[in-house]
Amino acid sequence: MSSKGARRQNIGQVHLVHERRGRPGRGPAARGWRRAAVSGGASVLCAAAITTSYGTAEQLSSTTYNAYGAPGLVDMPVATMPGDAETAITLSRAAGTTRTTFNFQVLPRVSGSFRYSIVDDYSGPGDDLFDRSFDLRLSVLEERTGWPGLTVGLQDFLGTGVFSGEYVVATKTVAPGLRLTGGIGWGRFGIRNGFDNPLGIVSGAFDNRPPVAEGGGRFNADNWFRGDASVFGGVRYDVTDRLSLAAEYSSDTYANEEARGLFTPGSPFNFSVTYRATPAIDVTAFALHGEAFGLAATTRFNPKHPPLGPTTGDAPPPVVPRADLVSLGWGDAVAGGADFRRETAARLAAEGIGLGRLEVDGRTARIGIRNLRYRSDAQAVGRAARVLTRTMPRAVDAFVLTLTENGLPITDVTLRRADIEALEFAPDGAAQSLARAAFGDASGTPVAASPPRFEWAIGPYLDTELFDPDDPLRVDVGARLRGRLAFGTGTFLSGSVRKRVFGSLDQSTRSSNSVLPRVRSDNAIYNREGDPALEYLVGEQFFRPGGDLYARVSAGYLEKMYGGVSAEVLWLPQTSDLGLGVEINYARQRDFDQLFGFRDYDVVTGHVSAYYDLGEGFVAQVDAGRYLAGDWGATVALDREFANGVRVGAFATFTDVGFDDFGEGSFDKGIRVTLPVAWFTGRESRQALDTTIRPVLRDGGARLSVPHRLYPTVRGARESDLGQDWGRFWR
Amino acid sequence: MTRRLAALALLALAACSTTEIAGEFPSSPLVGPDAARGAPVVASLPATGASGVFRPAGRNGDVTSWRAADGSGFATDRGVLVTTFGLGHDLYAADVSRLVAILTAGRSGTVRRVHRMLDGENNVTAESWDCDVRVSATRDSPSAGGRVRDVTEACEGPGGAFENTYLWSVSGDRAVRSEQFVSREVGMLRIAPPAPVATAIVPVAIGQ
């Protein structure tokens, strides 16, 4: 979709969530023989920067990316797909056009892109075009001996069509380092020496390409592969491992740009030189149609491969076999004595684990634990088991560990002490210990009432706002103080305040032109007036109404723009791929100053949700119900989640608000990326960075943002997720 | 444009340096450090030059766990490496029972060694190496305090090869000095008794 510079409201949003669950881990001193750990939290950019230093050639493909940030030559695409999950961010500039593209290899044979383009003076002097577009590519045939790779692609398939084009492209490696590419294109790729669409044989409808609907953001399926077609082709030659040359015959004539007097192509040929500065960074210089020079830089990483390696945290405490307990000075008298609970709590705390209930009942010890440090609950279970081998009386031969999250007892994990002792260094200790562990729903397990406990954190925050034509990247930096008081069983009071130090979020002068209740589109006013801001102040009660069921009631200032009451119930059995939830909220819009007052608008909103684990890390989610503007509809989302916590997904919402009433973009949609801080710092931590990028933030299909929704809270501690991560048990 | 670039730089900087100070009340109880038991070793990574002093932190059967002050660690079965921690690309588990039997018996032979690793998606992967173990005649070593054998273990496996070396103490029935393969990314780990002077000067961990 696209917008002319000064006309429309146009706000994207990056949402930083520093608190996921728990608190950061203890940082190791940078001594000994380990690689120096990078300290602190960060963002996608930070991850890219760190990956740049550590990414290795084995983890990344030999793909080069074109000026559109897609696998390609100069402007034209190739059929070759990057390695599964490879993620590339490309920044390019040539002929008055700047593009930033995020490309993700969704599946081994499917890749997708989100692109933000700025075309200088497109709509007149000083009136730039700001365009957001999505691509999708499918590998029909993988390259093999005797066969080229064959890929079908849709570029800018959801937009006003400025960059829209479709293609079928083939690439073949003909000699080591030498690849030939040829293709047929439509739309933007079907202009130079265009000929009648060969698909006209199938149906006359393919002969003409209708104009794109106003407003953008719609699936232009009746445009795809329509109109004249044209051929393109090229060659890439790898001079060395780090230096590649490309030449292509382009089927794009830049007709739009030429008509506006922005760029007049000379020859049909483009050339480029790509230098692989590090395995993760490419720098490309290119010549466009004999008339312009361009520059591009690509940084790549693969979520499957944390840049510092998969195992970076502190070593766990060694298992203490019962035979050695006495020699440690831990006879039974001491183990069962007055300091027994304190000692266990202290040793667990040193491993980033909170101790709840502790009962020794003959030969069985029952212990409630809270994972405060590890992304994987299996690792917390393993560390707790190691600690217990040291602190439990020798008579105890079984540990029942109850994983507890936000006061919800989720899973009972039963471990035999003899197995922990025997398998600590067993070559297949991971598989054997999993086979011998028993899991159960902890719905009936009592949770000890917690004495009041207060956790606090103070630190800097970073907030960004994207895609405002006046300044496509606005940034605020400031300080945030947050705290959480826990008491009773599953009762919490949480709050967060922040104060800007400097930044430009308050400089947006965009005003909403929405014809709907302005449930989100006054964002700029909230940014201007909310300093200091009370981000949230919420009382929460979590409880288990029954087996496989989880519940939450929250009340207070729930989020930046709304306060109210929220109630949710989730059904999620221990090993089920399917989860079902219901949430109902009464929400009232908060004052722009984000302090304690409210505005007049209120609404009852809520959803019925289905979550389905499709396998291979894919999770689908459908939420159907009533949104903030009172509109009814459904959100569909698909995420790919890696076991290390990285998540990349996309979502779209369709409601009974018509595309025209919605305004620019036609419906709410976006992509979201979650990066665990541990992934790129190498330090164990449960913090994660959630980024949601919407091309446009408007009022239709807007959902209340409630903290601590149940599905992400519960899921990782269940039997099926513990089993998937069980390799972490011994780490 | 300049302002945009400055903002980008700022973004990267601020994001990369975000560090919270956190606390809780009542605070978690603390444990004192465990008393060190047994003689330390110096372990180093020839690939990076990093080294540290490791003390025995636990014993389970024939396997000793070693820990350094910085939280890193590894474990050895009679001096033969079975696992490492905190190196990024650690040796998750090594099946070395056959090798230990050969070393104890003092005879040359061949062994198959299975190394397990944890990948970035928490899967345990295994690869096997075929190793040719050559054991020298027994000789006197005053520094090792008795009779020793020099052992080389040349291994070939998926896409590569490595050679481990051990100085095997006959009386101690364990390797007292060795250089052993961890992983492709990390390379070799060298384990040796501390030089007397070094322990006197630097009693804890040596910075890298």
Side-chain angles (χ1 to χ4, degrees):
Chain A
M1 67 220 63
S2 67
S3 61
K4 284 180 193 164
R7 216 155 44 83
R8 296 188 180 123
Q9 156 101 9
N10 201 331
I11 296 167
Q13 194 183 35
V14 170
H15 198 63
L16 288 167
V17 176
H18 280 284
E19 177 189 33
R20 193 167 171 83
R21 287 182 295 189
R23 56 184 179 159
R26 178 172 59 93
R31 302 176 76 182
W33 39 244
R34 288 158 47 164
R35 270 174 168 168
V38 181
S39 63
S43 73
V44 176
L45 283 176
C46 193
I50 292 162
T51 310
T52 299
S53 331
Y54 292 103
T56 62
E58 296 81 50
Q59 296 168 356
L60 297 165
S61 72
S62 62
T63 308
T64 53
Y65 292 78
N66 66 16
Y68 284 95
L73 297 164
V74 187
D75 251 4
M76 299 292 114
V78 295
T80 318
M81 291 260 152
D84 184 33
E86 184 167 304
T87 307
I89 300 166
T90 300
L91 182 66
S92 78
R93 179 163 172 87
T97 300
T98 307
R99 299 190 188 103
T100 307
T101 309
F102 173 89
N103 189 75
F104 177 59
Q105 192 69 29
V106 182
L107 283 167
R109 298 176 84 156
V110 178
S111 74
S113 308
F114 171 71
R115 182 179 307 105
Y116 183 62
S117 310
I118 304 172
V119 185
D120 299 347
D121 303 329
Y122 190 83
S123 310
D127 198 356
D128 302 344
L129 172 80
F130 299 87
D131 181 89
R132 284 130 293 173
S133 56
F134 294 90
D135 301 351
L136 207 54
R137 282 173 294 279
L138 171 70
S139 165
V140 180
L141 209 61
E142 283 179 282
E143 183 181 344
R144 60 187 66 173
T145 318
W147 286 100
L150 194 68
T151 291
V152 177
L154 303 172
Q155 179 169 289
D156 191 6
F157 68 97
L158 201 67
T160 46
V162 179
F163 298 117
S164 289
E166 303 80 43
Y167 52 85
V168 178
V169 62
T171 298
K172 177 89 184 91
T173 307
V174 292
L178 183 65
R179 295 171 222 205
L180 297 184
T181 291
I184 177 170
W186 293 263
R188 182 116 192 172
F189 297 107
I191 305 178
R192 188 181 302 280
N193 298 325
F195 46 81
D196 286 348
N197 192 344
L199 294 173
I201 300 167
V202 181
S203 159
F206 283 101
D207 288 335
N208 292 305
R209 194 175 179 94
V212 173
E214 266 293 309
R218 304 180 193 183
F219 290 95
N220 305 317
D222 53 356
N223 280 56
W224 298 346
F225 304 100
R226 303 285 172 100
D228 281 0
S230 175
V231 293
F232 61 88
V235 56
R236 172 181 158 190
Y237 178 60
D238 298 333
V239 183
T240 69
D241 285 350
R242 309 185 86 170
L243 189 67
S244 298
L245 306 176
E248 71 182 16
Y249 171 85
S250 167
S251 57
D252 183 0
T253 60
Y254 281 75
N256 248 329
E257 288 80 354
E258 187 172 4
R260 291 162 195 267
L262 301 173
F263 177 63
T264 307
S267 87
F269 297 102
N270 298 327
F271 302 92
S272 74
V273 183
T274 298
Y275 180 65
R276 187 142 283 175
T278 76
I281 288 225
D282 286 354
V283 182
T284 301
F286 55 98
L288 217 50
H289 299 289
E291 292 294 329
F293 276 107
L295 282 175
T298 299
T299 177
R300 304 182 295 160
F301 63 94
N302 192 319
K304 289 182 175 181
H305 304 291
L308 297 168
T311 52
T312 46
D314 287 0
V319 169
V320 182
R322 273 164 287 187
D324 286 3
L325 275 178
V326 177
S327 69
L328 281 173
W330 279 101
D332 287 348
V334 181
D339 289 337
F340 167 58
R341 183 187 164 91
R342 184 184 158 78
E343 179 72 17
T344 302
R347 291 196 181 272
L348 287 172
E351 300 304 318
I353 296 166
L355 174 65
R357 191 171 71 119
L358 170 55
E359 279 173 22
V360 177
D361 169 19
R363 305 173 76 83
T364 303
R366 298 175 193 279
I367 297 113
I369 57 168
R370 292 179 294 125
N371 172 12
L372 304 172
R373 181 179 298 171
Y374 309 95
R375 215 216 66 76
S376 157
D377 284 322
Q379 189 166 358
V381 171
R383 296 235 170 175
R386 287 169 175 271
V387 166
L388 297 178
T389 60
R390 178 177 199 116
T391 63
M392 287 297 121
R394 279 188 296 172
V396 170
D397 59 13
F399 307 141
V400 182
L401 298 168
T402 304
L403 270 167
T404 307
E405 200 66 63
N406 285 337
L408 291 168
I410 299 174
T411 306
D412 287 333
V413 184
T414 304
L415 304 165
R416 283 180 52 220
R417 189 173 191 165
D419 294 334
I420 306 300
E421 292 167 349
L423 299 174
E424 183 185 12
F425 299 108
D428 59 348
Q432 284 198 55
S433 57
L434 176 60
R436 297 183 196 183
F439 301 88
D441 183 352
S443 66
T445 306
V447 178
S450 162
R453 186 180 71 249
F454 182 67
E455 293 172 359
W456 59 270
I458 186 165
Y461 77 88
L462 177 85
D463 203 356
T464 57
E465 193 183 284
L466 303 178
F467 311 143
D468 180 343
D470 296 332
D471 186 351
L473 177 59
R474 293 189 191 275
V475 182
D476 264 9
V477 174
R480 166 188 281 138
L481 171 67
R482 56 193 175 82
R484 196 163 200 224
L485 177 67
F487 53 97
T489 53
T491 313
F492 299 89
L493 183 63
S494 313
S496 175
V497 288
R498 72 183 203 182
K499 174 84 186 85
R500 173 167 52 223
V501 176
F502 59 90
S504 56
L505 254 61
D506 61 336
Q507 286 160 24
S508 172
T509 54
R510 298 274 136 191
S511 60
S512 172
N513 62 358
S514 182
V515 300
L516 300 170
R518 293 181 181 174
V519 295
R520 288 290 181 210
S521 61
D522 282 332
N523 187 37
I525 309 179
Y526 280 94
N527 286 341
R528 265 201 311 272
E529 299 193 5
D531 180 44
L534 175 69
E535 293 189 292
Y536 59 85
L537 180 61
V538 189
E540 295 166 316
Q541 177 65 53
F542 297 86
F543 60 99
R544 300 233 21 201
D548 301 331
L549 292 174
Y550 302 84
R552 166 186 64 79
V553 178
S554 313
Y557 299 90
L558 298 168
E559 54 139 295
K560 180 179 184 177
M561 302 185 199
Y562 292 90
V565 183
S566 170
E568 183 188 4
V569 175
L570 173 73
W571 173 82
L572 188 63
Q574 285 285 320
T575 57
S576 168
D577 291 332
L578 177 69
L580 297 171
V582 184
E583 180 185 285
I584 185 147
N585 316 292
Y586 167 76
R588 188 172 176 124
Q589 196 163 28
R590 292 178 63 186
D591 270 346
F592 295 136
D593 62 11
Q594 293 172 64
L595 295 174
F596 297 98
F598 287 97
R599 295 172 57 77
D600 285 338
Y601 185 77
D602 65 349
V603 63
V604 173
T605 168
H607 288 81
V608 177
S609 302
Y611 313 85
Y612 196 79
D613 185 341
L614 298 159
E616 303 295 319
F618 285 87
V619 176
Q621 181 176 345
V622 178
D623 307 290
R626 189 171 192 234
Y627 292 82
L628 282 172
D631 45 338
W632 292 82
T635 302
V636 290
L638 182 66
D639 292 283
R640 180 168 183 185
E641 302 184 357
F642 300 85
N644 56 43
V646 179
R647 187 176 78 151
V648 182
F651 62 90
T653 301
F654 302 92
T655 70
D656 57 3
V657 169
F659 284 178
D660 292 328
D661 284 345
F662 182 91
E664 185 189 353
S666 299
F667 62 94
D668 188 63
K669 61 194 161 297
I671 57 173
R672 55 194 186 196
V673 178
T674 299
L675 271 182
V677 169
W679 186 86
F680 51 87
T681 63
R683 278 172 51 177
E684 288 295 350
S685 157
R686 301 199 74 177
Q687 287 182 306
L689 205 82
D690 288 341
T691 305
T692 299
I693 299 175
R694 284 184 163 86
V696 191
L697 178 66
R698 294 192 68 90
D699 298 321
R703 209 177 160 194
L704 191 66
S705 173
V706 183
H708 300 122
R709 283 200 163 112
L710 290 170
Y711 185 72
T713 302
V714 169
R715 195 177 145 219
R718 290 181 313 144
E719 175 179 352
S720 51
D721 286 55
L722 290 171
Q724 276 169 22
D725 285 356
W726 202 255
R728 289 263 157 202
F729 180 84
W730 291 112
R731 289 283 106 183
Chain B
M1 197 65 198
T2 315
R3 199 160 63 89
R4 220 173 274 159
L5 284 176
L8 255 173
L10 178 78
L11 181 83
L13 195 74
C16 292
S17 61
T18 297
T19 311
E20 282 190 325
I21 303 163
E24 60 181 344
F25 185 84
S27 58
S28 298
L30 298 173
V31 274
D34 291 322
R37 295 168 297 135
V41 293
V42 172
S44 56
L45 297 169
T48 62
S51 73
V53 175
F54 290 74
R55 295 181 178 279
R59 194 168 165 82
N60 189 352
D62 290 319
V63 181
T64 303
S65 292
W66 304 88
R67 295 289 184 270
D70 72 339
S72 49
F74 61 93
T76 55
D77 180 350
R78 279 159 279 185
V80 178
L81 194 64
V82 293
T83 191
T84 66
F85 293 102
L87 290 172
H89 298 269
D90 282 301
L91 178 62
Y92 184 81
D95 189 349
V96 297
S97 50
R98 276 274 296 152
L99 174 69
V100 170
I102 279 189
L103 292 171
T104 307
R107 285 193 306 267
S108 297
T110 58
V111 295
R112 170 162 290 183
R113 197 187 235 283
V114 176
H115 284 188
R116 284 181 170 78
M117 311 275 294
L118 200 64
D119 72 13
E121 297 180 279
N122 293 340
N123 301 308
V124 179
T125 61
E127 51 188 38
S128 60
W129 302 83
D130 288 312
C131 307
D132 187 12
V133 184
R134 289 172 189 277
V135 181
S136 76
T138 306
R139 63 178 172 86
D140 273 324
S141 167
S143 66
R147 305 285 288 169
V148 295
R149 299 187 194 108
D150 298 297
V151 181
T152 61
E153 180 194 18
C155 301
E156 283 186 24
F162 62 84
E163 186 172 290
N164 291 344
T165 56
Y166 310 86
L167 183 67
W168 184 266
S169 161
V170 177
S171 54
D173 202 30
R174 63 189 183 90
V176 290
R177 189 181 282 276
S178 64
E179 189 166 313
Q180 304 183 55
F181 182 72
V182 176
S183 65
R184 281 181 196 81
E185 293 84 355
V186 173
M188 307 298 284
L189 175 64
R190 193 178 286 159
I191 306 169
V197 178
T199 43
I201 295 173
V202 187
V204 223
I206 298 169
Q208 58 182 38

